[in-house]
Amino acid sequence: MSLIKCNECGKELSDKAEICPNCGTKIIQNNSKKTIMIAIIFIFILILISIIGYLYIGKQELKKTLLKDWQRVEKGSSGVYYTLELDFSETTIKYNFNSIYSWMDSTIKKYNYIIINSHQIEIDNKKYEIEFNNDKSMMTITPSLTDSKTSENWFNHDK
């Protein structure tokens, strides 16, 4: 048996005492305080791990969806249709032009990107919102990456 001090009156008493005999204050043992502190730290760590896991999984899901073939068909001023394509790799986007004449096919521009979170990418310090429809066959980029519109839609026809 060891002696501890009452938190209220400061009188020494047995570490087994539940109530101070001098002032009647309930004695909270240090072990209880330690247990509570450990529990709080443990809960905090679990919450932190959950948040980090959620963000990581969201980023991985976005990357997986972006790595599909994204394209749209447009009609040129001469009435000929052509295909624009966003070809995502791990860190690069190629903005490609494809026509019925393969000799005209070309890469218009290359962008380096990073995934910020489950719905944003960053290119040249500018953030772009990425949204998908329910079956992930249409992607909307806001603001538009390839033209001056507010947003642009890209389509994936993979099954």
Side-chain angles (χ1 to χ4, degrees):
M1 176 177 90
S2 63
L3 295 176
I4 60 171
K5 288 191 177 189
C6 173
N7 293 333
E8 191 67 29
C9 69
K11 181 143 177 118
E12 287 189 348
L13 52 114
S14 166
D15 64 349
K16 306 285 187 215
E18 294 181 15
I19 298 174
C20 175
N22 186 50
C23 68
T25 300
K26 183 176 179 183
I27 304 300
I28 299 174
Q29 298 292 330
N30 285 340
N31 290 344
S32 296
K33 289 180 183 179
K34 286 180 185 176
T35 303
I36 291 170
M37 187 58 80
I38 290 171
I40 290 170
I41 290 170
F42 182 73
I43 291 169
F44 176 76
I45 289 171
L46 281 178
I47 291 170
L48 189 62
I49 289 170
S50 298
I51 291 169
I52 291 169
Y54 174 77
L55 293 174
Y56 177 78
I57 290 169
K59 288 171 75 172
Q60 293 305 311
E61 184 63 29
L62 177 59
K63 180 179 275 189
K64 178 181 162 187
T65 307
L66 289 175
L67 292 175
K68 297 179 179 182
D69 294 325
W70 294 99
Q71 53 189 251
R72 66 177 187 231
V73 176
E74 295 189 359
K75 186 176 182 180
S77 57
S78 64
V80 176
Y81 288 93
Y82 57 90
T83 303
L84 296 173
E85 176 185 74
L86 286 183
D87 182 11
F88 285 82
S89 70
E90 292 291 319
T91 59
T92 306
I93 306 167
K94 287 183 186 175
Y95 176 39
N96 299 322
F97 173 85
N98 299 316
S99 71
I100 57 173
Y101 308 108
S102 60
W103 56 271
M104 291 181 68
D105 294 355
S106 63
T107 297
I108 298 169
K109 188 165 183 174
K110 287 184 184 180
Y111 304 94
N112 291 319
Y113 78 98
I114 58 171
I115 295 176
I116 302 297
N117 55 44
S118 63
H119 60 278
Q120 281 186 325
I121 62 173
E122 185 176 302
I123 300 169
D124 296 329
N125 296 318
K126 185 174 181 181
K127 292 183 178 160
Y128 294 86
E129 295 286 326
I130 308 290
E131 294 180 26
F132 299 99
N133 65 347
N134 288 338
D135 67 358
K136 297 192 178 181
S137 62
M138 183 178 83
M139 169 177 64
T140 302
I141 302 175
T142 308
S144 178
L145 176 63
T146 63
D147 56 37
S148 60
K149 296 178 185 174
T150 305
S151 64
E152 59 186 336
N153 294 321
W154 294 88
F155 301 90
N156 173 269
H157 302 290
D158 294 345
K159 295 288 177 188

